Amino acid sequence: MSDTNRKLITVMLVLVWISMGLFFEVGGPTMVDLRMKFNTSSADIARSVSAQGFGIFAGALAGGLVIDAMRTWKFLVVTLAETIATVAVILMPFVASLTWLWVMFFSVGTAAGLINVAGQRMLIELWRDESASPMHAMHMGFGIGALLAPIIINPFLAVLEYGPVNASSNDVTLPGGRDFIVIKESRVNLAFVTIGLCSATLALPVFLYPFVKCFRRYKNKYNNMDEPEEGTVAPAQNGIVKRLLVILNPATYANGNFKFGLTVFVFIIVLYINLVGGEQLFGNFVRTFSVDQLRFARNEASYLDTVYWGSFTIGRLTGSVLAHFISMRKLFLIDLFMNLLAVTFADIFAARGKNFLWAFTAIVGFFIAPLFPAGIAYINTHIEVGGMVLTLVVFATGFGQLLYVWIEGLLYEAYGPRTILYAMQFSAIFLCLISVIFVAISWTRKRFAINEDQTPVVTSGEDIRMTSDLRYSDMNTSS
């Protein structure tokens, strides 16, 4: 495949990730307006929004089981997921009950799970050992979308003034007894429709790509943009049970080494539970922390989200650039220790004043952002990151988000706002500890392999190319 075509498909995937950032982060800014619309409590709306986490599990499971069998048609999973997300987001404000609202958020989470598995697998097959920078660039798209979502939504939200109720038709009582005056009526319906249409527009190349691909298949002497070389694809293995066993076997992804493959699987689960748990914990609670601990005004607190996601996006862009010049192992370890340093200083200073919180919100967002794509790129240097591996990543992502946010909610009620910083400190320390252990295991294994066999197996550039091609052949084709 030509380098130009690889870059075009990568740009398509970046746009898909921006789209995912838009539709996945729509719940937070609209929570108050949804609460007014459905005349219910914050807890009820929060339960509906949390359905995204369960949807991620469903999407990851479905994507992991089928993605490696789809060969060059993996993008159809992304197309289907974008369709599901667009329809669900547009329908959200028009459903008649909280049950249906839960279903819509569940559908959005399912779409995100499918996109994560399919999109990352496509990118790894496109770039192979050079996937580090494109992986950072693609994940940067989510930060851009999450940054744009509240900006797009804000003009459509109600403007409220809390205080004594006057005899006016605009006076409303929230469930729970709190009164406020509606200064500007909510147009949350238009907010959801706008986000849905923006997401669909960004994903338009993915909707058009099936037609381009089918057209190219009828052109003689011209391969599809994402078609692998014929010699890299082995005959498909017969039997659903055999194929499933191959997919689930850790040795399939570690050149036949079951023990090392299982070690990497365990590392993936533990890493992404704690990484994404800490990432989502800070993103979800920093606004509440600012109001309860430092008495931020409502507008000031809202801008903290923008600062966090803005620095998050810049962090992933920086990681994409640095991946060109620094080895993946070194970059991953540097990211880990810088994140630990940032969180430690935030734990010490962030609660001392508003300026400290502003600064450390940006710093933590910047240093935690590159860890997710850097982790996948580093794991890709040890094993084949197939559909099953990406399913584990997405499962751990969803579970970490649910676990950390749920536990922090209990700690917050029992011990106060500072527990947010303590939980972040635990996450950062634990991430460094398990990562250093894994790096030591993999380095020792590599040194042992070199000592066992001093004669290089690959002796020519052609052998190197063939070995790389075979390593990245579709997983359903190995016997």
Side-chain angles (χ1 to χ4, degrees):
M1 183 191 304
S2 70
D3 194 55
T4 301
N5 288 336
R6 290 197 299 175
K7 291 178 180 178
L8 285 173
I9 296 175
T10 302
V11 170
M12 288 169 51
L13 291 173
V14 172
L15 293 176
V16 167
W17 251 250
I18 297 174
S19 172
M20 183 167 63
L22 284 175
F23 68 69
F24 195 78
E25 297 298 327
V26 74
T30 59
M31 190 172 291
V32 173
D33 289 65
L34 288 175
R35 183 175 55 179
M36 294 164 54
K37 180 178 178 59
F38 287 94
N39 192 30
T40 188
S41 65
S42 296
D44 289 333
I45 298 298
R47 275 193 291 270
S48 296
V49 175
S50 69
Q52 290 183 142
F54 295 101
I56 288 176
F57 290 134
L61 179 61
L65 291 176
V66 304
I67 196 65
D68 286 321
M70 296 189 70
R71 302 183 65 183
T72 65
W73 294 90
K74 294 178 179 66
F75 68 91
L76 287 178
V77 176
V78 180
T79 305
L80 174 63
E82 284 286 352
T83 303
I84 293 172
T86 299
V87 173
V89 168
I90 291 176
L91 290 180
M92 274 183 191
F94 300 103
V95 297
S97 68
L98 287 173
T99 300
W100 279 106
L101 185 65
W102 190 97
V103 171
M104 293 299 106
F105 275 109
F106 177 85
S107 300
V108 167
T110 302
L114 288 169
I115 290 172
N116 265 290
V117 174
Q120 290 179 112
R121 178 60 176 158
M122 287 172 61
L123 193 80
I124 288 171
E125 287 187 348
L126 284 173
W127 292 97
R128 303 178 180 179
D129 287 330
E130 300 173 351
S131 63
S133 289
M135 185 69 71
H136 279 82
M138 183 178 71
H139 281 277
M140 179 188 67
F142 183 88
I144 295 173
L147 175 65
L148 293 175
I151 297 174
I152 295 172
I153 291 170
N154 191 60
F156 301 104
L157 300 181
V159 177
L160 310 177
E161 181 179 309
Y162 292 92
V165 177
N166 299 318
S168 168
S169 59
N170 285 338
D171 294 342
V172 181
T173 300
L174 279 174
R178 192 169 186 190
D179 298 317
F180 62 88
I181 302 170
V182 179
I183 305 299
K184 179 182 175 183
E185 292 290 341
S186 171
R187 296 179 294 162
V188 72
N189 294 4
L190 293 177
F192 280 95
V193 171
T194 302
I195 289 293
L197 293 178
C198 288
S199 296
T201 301
L202 287 167
L204 190 61
V206 179
F207 291 113
L208 296 177
Y209 186 60
F211 300 101
V212 175
K213 185 176 177 69
C214 291
F215 174 75
R216 287 180 172 232
R217 286 178 69 88
Y218 289 102
K219 303 268 293 185
N220 292 329
K221 299 181 181 180
Y222 200 90
N223 291 330
N224 291 301
M225 285 194 289
D226 58 346
E227 195 78 44
E229 296 180 14
E230 186 175 353
T232 67
V233 180
Q237 190 173 33
N238 295 325
I240 296 177
V241 175
K242 288 184 178 180
R243 189 179 305 166
L244 183 61
L245 290 175
V246 169
I247 291 174
L248 296 176
N249 186 4
T252 303
Y253 309 91
N255 295 324
N257 190 326
F258 176 84
K259 185 183 295 185
F260 183 69
L262 184 61
T263 301
V264 178
F265 276 24
V266 172
F267 172 68
I268 289 171
I269 294 171
V270 177
L271 174 72
Y272 280 98
I273 284 176
N274 289 277
L275 170 59
V276 178
E279 175 187 303
Q280 290 296 316
L281 182 148
F282 194 80
N284 280 297
F285 281 95
V286 65
R287 187 180 186 276
T288 306
F289 176 86
S290 69
V291 173
D292 293 344
Q293 181 73 22
L294 298 174
R295 307 303 180 195
F296 270 51
R298 294 173 61 85
N299 288 339
E300 281 185 301
S302 298
Y303 290 136
L304 270 179
D305 288 333
T306 302
V307 169
Y308 178 71
W309 288 112
S311 59
F312 190 91
T313 303
I314 296 172
R316 287 195 168 169
L317 176 62
T318 304
S320 177
V321 174
L322 292 177
H324 279 288
F325 308 102
I326 305 175
S327 71
M328 207 59 249
R329 184 180 66 186
K330 291 180 181 178
L331 183 60
F332 181 58
L333 290 174
I334 290 172
D335 286 342
L336 284 167
F337 285 111
M338 291 304 296
N339 176 64
L340 175 60
L341 192 63
V343 171
T344 300
F345 278 106
D347 188 17
I348 297 171
F349 296 107
R352 296 189 178 185
K354 291 184 177 181
N355 291 336
F356 284 107
L357 184 60
W358 281 109
F360 283 106
T361 296
I363 292 171
V364 170
F366 179 84
F367 285 112
I368 202 171
L371 286 174
F372 191 104
I376 294 176
Y378 177 63
I379 291 166
N380 188 50
T381 63
H382 293 288
I383 65 170
E384 165 69 14
V385 179
M388 180 61 189
V389 177
L390 293 172
T391 299
L392 280 179
V393 170
V394 179
F395 261 104
T397 295
F399 185 72
Q401 179 179 354
L402 291 173
L403 181 66
Y404 266 76
V405 173
W406 175 67
I407 292 177
E408 175 53 34
L410 299 176
L411 293 174
Y412 195 94
E413 291 293 330
Y415 302 105
R418 283 297 299 265
T419 55
I420 295 171
L421 301 177
Y422 301 150
M424 286 293 295
Q425 185 75 79
F426 168 81
S427 172
I429 292 173
F430 193 65
L431 283 174
C432 278
L433 180 63
I434 61 172
S435 298
V436 168
I437 292 173
F438 177 76
V439 169
I441 291 173
S442 59
W443 184 81
T444 303
R445 175 176 177 267
K446 181 179 179 181
R447 295 296 300 174
F448 180 77
I450 293 175
N451 292 334
E452 283 289 310
D453 187 3
Q454 295 292 334
T455 306
V457 175
V458 179
T459 57
S460 70
E462 181 65 18
D463 289 336
I464 294 173
R465 185 190 67 79
M466 291 177 64
T467 302
S468 178
D469 287 343
L470 287 172
R471 178 186 172 195
Y472 287 92
S473 62
D474 286 336
M475 300 307 301
N476 69 308
T477 62
S478 61
S479 57

